[in-house]
Amino acid sequence: MYRVVASRAFRAGAPQKAFGCWCNLSRSAHTLPFATLEADEISGSKPGEVYNLVQGKWTGSSNWSTLLDPLNGEQFIRIAEVGEKEIQPFVESLSKCPKHGLHNPFKSPERYLLYGDISTKAAHMLSLPKVSNFFTRLIQRVSPKSYQQALGEVQVTQKFLENFCGDQVRFLARSFAVPGNHLGQQSHGYRWPYGPVAIITPFNFPLEIPVLQLMGALYMGNKPILKVDSKVSIVMEQMMRLLHYCGLPVEDVDFINSDGKTMNKLLMEANPRMTLFTGSSRVAEKLAVDLKGRVKLEDAGFDWKILGPDVNEVDYVSWVCDQDAYACSGQKCSAQSVLFMHENWSSTSLLSKMKDLADRRKLEDLTVGPVLTFTTEAMLEHMNKLLKVPGSKLLFGGEELKNHSIPSIYGALKPTAIFVPLEEILKDGNYELVTREIFGPFQIVTEYKQDQLPLVLNALERMHAHLTAAVVSNDPLFLQEVIGNTVNGTTYAGLRARTTGAPQNHWFGPSGDPRGAGIGTPEAIKLVWSSHREIIYDYGPIPGNWEIPPST
């Protein structure tokens, strides 16, 4: 059932060895010097173990939870889960970090250079085929997706690290000066860290999201505590060991495994100056209240795609639709949730091609796989509710995967598309149902006529999460109309537009919310992980004939 795609040639090595011979790692036949496990050998008879890191030391816990293999239900990973009574060392660790951070433009500036060096070494490590394959396979084990999808996550992370080698970290703290009112006065603007911060990331990108946000926090001078969804935290635990191997000071980051209740208690007691949360809108809204607004959020998105009136390249557009909706089994915050199809596309083979492409997806190569946050029953129940809407119909899918051993706590659904008429979507009784995000291989398809674009724009205006979007058209007037009347933070426009894909070279994040977080770019790092500080220098001289003026 589980296809082993890669070599089983890894052995655990010393996790915190000095970095001395990193350039020769590729010559080693069997050893990854930072790793404590072999991705392909994790099993019920040889379970992987995930530890916590606090105040520079790897620690266990009084309570070890066990994860089930998403593909066969075997108990294959043990996690040291921190309980509510064990959070004090983490609270103390964050409390030791001052508000002005571990470094800033006036304090320990050599640490900007340190992190440029760490990024250089870590980027090199991830470029080595054995290291890249190790993380790709480890991702596949806990968040099953095709080898190419998992590898893409590793490659984006590697390229991100390359982008911040050498002096690029120090350039993130670039300041500016404005002339003052008189001789000796200048106003300087600086990027300033928050100090103690927290990072909470989801299961669907076990490496890319936590690494990019963690490194951004560190570059700007903060001390983070990192919590990754326990279902996949083994990936980031191993990455933390790689970063230590590359020179990351062990006291700079704390790493915790816990349930949501314990993490919430830790945040309330440690009172971090800023918390970055990537995940569900429900949890995001609770954190915003609990932490009195000191949050940056990259929450869920019911992401839309509009096919414009100009029909071109049906094969290509149908392939992108399939990738957007069903790659990673639809478990991307940027996945295509609803497709608005102009009537001109209805006379093409678009839908039949989408069905054929969806039918190619197989559990054997993980082009479709376990859904980790919805059960099969929950997804089928939602589908049946949608099919009760007048005019709705099943386009394809709508069945459980065949011949699988995925445990019942997870979902196993064929790629599914439901057609719902546009007029029905807009009705108050249906809108919330239709726009409910199903984090799995599931999408809504609808059609609009030439004069119905205002109805489509109305549907988009009513949505509450504005992460990604795509406007598939080369008609500049159509693009202008749609882009000018929407707000999604990452919007692709043009014939090749997509909803998914977060390469390291452009901003990824929501818009329309002052709490919105970005990821990947210098702009994102500065927005999320630093605040503006203005220092006005006023040296003088005082005019020689100056006298104390009258009171004002």
Side-chain angles (χ1 to χ4, degrees):
M1 180 61 67
Y2 196 102
R3 190 178 77 164
V4 176
V5 190
S7 166
R8 303 167 63 93
F10 301 137
R11 291 181 183 171
Q16 293 187 40
K17 184 178 176 183
F19 195 83
C21 60
W22 65 276
C23 58
N24 297 319
L25 181 64
S26 59
R27 301 176 187 172
S28 173
H30 302 292
T31 302
L32 292 179
F34 62 87
T36 59
L37 52 85
E38 299 183 31
D40 286 311
E41 293 188 2
I42 302 172
S43 64
S45 60
K46 191 176 181 181
E49 293 186 339
V50 185
Y51 292 85
N52 303 287
L53 176 67
V54 61
Q55 300 185 35
K57 296 180 181 178
W58 289 103
T59 65
S61 172
S62 61
N63 176 51
W64 289 77
S65 61
T66 304
L67 291 181
L68 302 184
D69 189 320
L71 288 168
N72 59 29
E74 192 175 63
Q75 296 184 352
F76 78 140
I77 295 176
R78 298 176 67 243
I79 299 175
E81 291 268 4
V82 174
E84 291 186 47
K85 297 181 179 179
E86 299 174 304
I87 64 173
Q88 200 55 38
F90 296 91
V91 174
E92 292 173 358
S93 184
L94 273 190
S95 299
K96 290 178 182 177
C97 179
K99 294 177 184 178
H100 53 263
L102 299 179
H103 62 266
N104 60 52
F106 286 70
K107 171 187 173 182
S108 303
E110 65 278 2
R111 281 174 52 89
Y112 293 114
L113 305 182
L114 169 67
Y115 275 97
D117 290 343
I118 294 168
S119 296
T120 300
K121 295 170 183 176
H124 174 80
M125 290 285 280
L126 287 183
S127 74
L128 300 176
K130 287 198 309 177
V131 178
S132 174
N133 185 69
F134 170 77
F135 281 106
T136 300
R137 291 292 298 123
L138 197 55
I139 290 168
Q140 282 193 295
R141 295 303 308 274
V142 294
S143 183
K145 59 184 84 173
S146 70
Y147 189 87
Q148 195 58 42
Q149 286 286 320
L151 176 62
E153 185 176 342
V154 179
Q155 291 172 333
V156 166
T157 305
Q158 191 264 337
K159 288 294 184 183
F160 167 85
L161 291 167
E162 280 188 352
N163 284 347
F164 293 99
C165 294
D167 286 325
Q168 297 307 311
V169 174
R170 113 164 87 198
F171 289 157
L172 288 171
R174 187 191 302 271
S175 60
F176 64 84
V178 177
N181 294 336
H182 48 256
L183 182 63
Q185 186 185 76
Q186 281 191 339
S187 180
H188 288 248
Y190 296 94
R191 300 310 303 179
W192 218 256
Y194 291 103
V197 298
I199 303 170
I200 304 172
T201 63
F203 75 91
N204 54 335
F205 287 89
L207 185 73
E208 180 181 342
I209 295 176
V211 170
L212 269 59
Q213 294 292 16
L214 174 68
M215 297 307 290
L218 290 166
Y219 292 158
M220 299 312 294
N222 302 288
K223 177 184 171 67
I225 180 170
L226 172 64
K227 173 182 161 36
V228 180
D229 189 314
S230 294
K231 291 190 289 291
V232 300
S233 61
I234 195 169
V235 177
M236 198 58 202
E237 194 243 37
Q238 292 297 300
M239 186 65 192
M240 288 298 306
R241 296 178 187 275
L242 180 148
L243 291 170
H244 290 159
Y245 183 77
C246 294
L248 173 71
V250 292
E251 301 87 2
D252 277 14
V253 182
D254 293 332
F255 179 78
I256 188 171
N257 299 283
S258 73
D259 61 21
K261 184 180 178 183
T262 298
M263 189 63 189
N264 192 264
K265 180 179 175 63
L266 190 156
L267 293 174
M268 298 301 289
E269 292 193 15
N271 195 29
R273 303 291 296 170
M274 210 286 289
T275 295
L276 178 281
F277 175 79
T278 305
S280 77
S281 295
R282 178 184 59 82
V283 177
E285 293 299 334
K286 173 177 169 44
L287 283 175
V289 173
D290 290 348
L291 300 176
K292 297 180 174 62
R294 294 191 303 274
V295 293
K296 286 290 184 181
L297 307 176
E298 195 264 88
D299 58 355
F302 189 81
D303 303 303
W304 50 265
K305 177 182 288 180
I306 296 176
L307 303 185
D310 47 326
V311 175
N312 285 292
E313 303 290 350
V314 176
D315 283 348
Y316 182 83
V317 172
S318 60
W319 173 75
V320 175
C321 286
D322 175 77
Q323 286 292 107
D324 281 347
Y326 304 125
C328 299
S329 300
Q331 295 173 103
K332 296 184 179 183
C333 51
S334 56
Q336 177 178 305
S337 301
V338 59
L339 176 66
F340 294 92
M341 180 177 59
H342 190 278
E343 60 183 335
N344 291 350
W345 289 85
S346 301
S347 58
T348 72
S349 57
L350 175 76
L351 293 179
S352 64
K353 289 181 182 295
M354 287 171 56
K355 179 182 185 302
D356 292 343
L357 290 166
D359 288 342
R360 296 193 310 174
R361 296 185 173 274
K362 306 296 181 188
L363 183 60
E364 287 75 15
D365 60 6
L366 294 180
T367 50
V368 67
V371 177
L372 301 190
T373 55
F374 280 86
T375 64
T376 306
E377 292 74 17
M379 289 186 285
L380 292 176
E381 180 184 1
H382 181 67
M383 179 190 75
N384 290 329
K385 289 179 180 178
L386 288 168
L387 291 176
K388 292 178 181 178
V389 175
S392 296
K393 59 184 177 182
L394 177 67
L395 294 176
F396 52 82
E399 298 178 354
E400 185 173 354
L401 294 174
K402 307 296 184 184
N403 304 317
H404 72 83
S405 54
I406 296 169
S408 60
I409 60 171
Y410 299 135
L413 187 72
K414 291 182 178 180
T416 297
I418 307 289
F419 181 89
V420 183
L422 178 60
E423 297 86 347
E424 293 294 331
I425 291 176
L426 292 169
K427 291 181 179 178
D428 288 340
N430 297 332
Y431 187 81
E432 291 300 322
L433 172 67
V434 173
T435 58
R436 181 190 177 200
E437 184 182 15
I438 301 297
F439 214 57
F442 196 100
Q443 68 170 319
I444 303 295
V445 177
T446 192
E447 179 188 272
Y448 69 100
K449 300 187 184 305
Q450 183 69 30
D451 61 350
Q452 289 184 313
L453 182 59
L455 297 182
V456 175
L457 296 175
N458 179 32
L460 306 183
E461 177 70 16
R462 291 169 62 181
M463 293 178 186
H464 71 275
H466 305 287
L467 184 55
T468 70
V471 191
V472 181
S473 174
N474 280 349
D475 180 342
L477 296 181
F478 182 81
L479 292 176
Q480 182 173 286
E481 178 73 10
V482 175
I483 294 172
N485 287 280
T486 55
V487 70
N488 292 48
T490 305
T491 302
Y492 297 85
L495 180 64
R496 299 186 64 171
R498 62 193 194 273
T499 65
T500 63
Q504 71 292 334
N505 61 301
H506 66 66
W507 165 283
F508 185 86
S511 186
D513 187 333
R515 304 166 301 178
I519 192 171
T521 63
E523 291 77 18
I525 292 171
K526 286 184 277 191
L527 172 84
V528 175
W529 294 116
S530 69
S531 58
H532 181 88
R533 185 181 187 188
E534 193 86 2
I535 298 176
I536 296 90
Y537 292 99
D538 209 342
Y539 296 114
I542 307 297
N545 59 351
W546 184 85
E547 296 180 356
I548 297 177
S551 298
T552 60

